């Protein structure tokens, strides 16, 4: 993406980090709109994708400045689409498995613009990245350590309510849907939350499952 962009990406000034991510995002959009994407994606697209995703996860998904985190989430979604034809589900899992939980937990952030940017980015990631649904489902259903973090629970549950009707449960290819057992285990745990909003969203998740598999939720 160029030395100037990379230097900005590692800058202490948040405006430079945001600017670098916007430049990378523009390059990725050019890649999926171009007939010759190799000019943008490099000679080894798989390595470029993994390096980019690991950099996003290690440095930017948990940035203290909301604008930078928003830009990083959007860049992940763009990368998923731009590199989709060049990477496998295993490549994507290796690149983002350790870091996507950072984004998922920020679905409960108090900043509404940050929440919405991440929500839209994760929708796009699920639809465009090879194996994206199962990777995201794993992060959303990750065991809860503190039920007192009700905003995090509500954020996760809200996205599940949106995604489960689209991608279904227990599809023949496991990377294309949610796993009923994992969804129910997470939702059931959320029933113990002291917060009514979190419990209410957990009920909606269960009802979304009932609409698909009926009495199997029992």
């Amino acid at each position: 993406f160029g030395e100037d962009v990379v230097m900005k990406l590692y800058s202490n000034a948040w405006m430079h980090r945001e600017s670098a991510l916007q430049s990378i995002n523009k390059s990725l959009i050019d890649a999926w709109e171009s007939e010759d994407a190799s000019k943008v994606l490099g000679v080894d697209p798989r390595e470029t994708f993994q390096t980019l995703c690991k950099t996003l996860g290690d440095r930017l998904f948990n940035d203290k400045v909301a604008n930078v985190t928003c830009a990083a989430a959007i860049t992940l979604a763009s990368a998923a689409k731009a590199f989709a034809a060049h990477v496998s589900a295993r490549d994507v899992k290796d690149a983002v498995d350790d870091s996507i939980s950072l984004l998922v937990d920020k679905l409960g952030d108090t900043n509404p613009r940050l929440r919405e940017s991440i929500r839209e980015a994760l929708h796009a990631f699920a639809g465009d990245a090879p194996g994206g649904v199962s990777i995201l489902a794993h992060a959303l259903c990750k065991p809860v350590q503190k039920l007192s973090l009700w905003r995090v629970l509500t954020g996760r549950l809200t996205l599940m309510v949106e995604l489960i009707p689209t991608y279904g449960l227990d599809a023949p290819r496991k990377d294309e849907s949610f796993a009923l057992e994992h969804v129910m285990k997470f939702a059931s745990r959320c029933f113990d939350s002291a917060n009514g909003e979190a419990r209410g969203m957990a009920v909606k998740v269960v009802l979304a499952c009932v609409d698909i598999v009926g009495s199997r939720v029992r």
Side-chain angles (χ1 to χ4, degrees), residues 99-172:
S99 61
I100 200 164
S101 293
L102 293 173
L103 280 185
V104 164
D105 284 349
K106 285 184 178 294
L107 289 166
D109 196 272
T110 55
N111 184 324
R113 178 174 172 269
L114 177 62
R115 291 199 307 269
E116 184 61 19
S117 293
I118 292 175
R119 188 188 72 81
E120 291 181 2
L122 292 178
H123 268 274
F125 176 82
D128 294 327
V133 177
S134 65
I135 294 168
L136 184 53
H138 176 74
L140 289 170
C141 297
K142 201 171 181 178
V144 182
Q145 302 302 322
K146 295 182 179 180
L147 286 174
S148 58
L149 300 177
W150 64 270
R151 290 184 186 276
V152 173
L153 302 182
T154 303
R156 285 208 230 170
L157 292 162
T158 300
L159 189 60
M160 290 166 72
V161 168
E162 295 171 355
L163 294 177
I164 288 173
T166 300
Y167 296 102
L169 298 160
D170 295 342

Side-chain angles (χ1 to χ4, degrees), residues 15-16 21 27 43 56 70 91 95 105 108 114 171 175-176 193 205 208 210 216-217:
M15 289 179 289
H16 288 169
L21 288 166
S27 295
V43 293
L56 292 173
C70 288
D91 293 331
D105 284 349
L114 177 62
D175 63 349
E176 295 179 347
S193 170
V205 167
V210 171
R216 278 183 59 203
V217 297

Side-chain angles (χ1 to χ4, degrees), residues 6 18 24 28 31 35 51 54 57 80 88 94 122-123 126 134-135 138 147-148 152 167 174 178-179 200 202:
V6 174
E18 182 185 22
I24 292 172
L28 294 170
E35 293 182 1
T51 303
K54 286 188 178 297
S88 66
D94 290 343
L122 292 178
H123 268 274
S134 65
I135 294 168
H138 176 74
L147 286 174
S148 58
V152 173
Y167 296 102
K174 293 183 179 180
F178 284 74

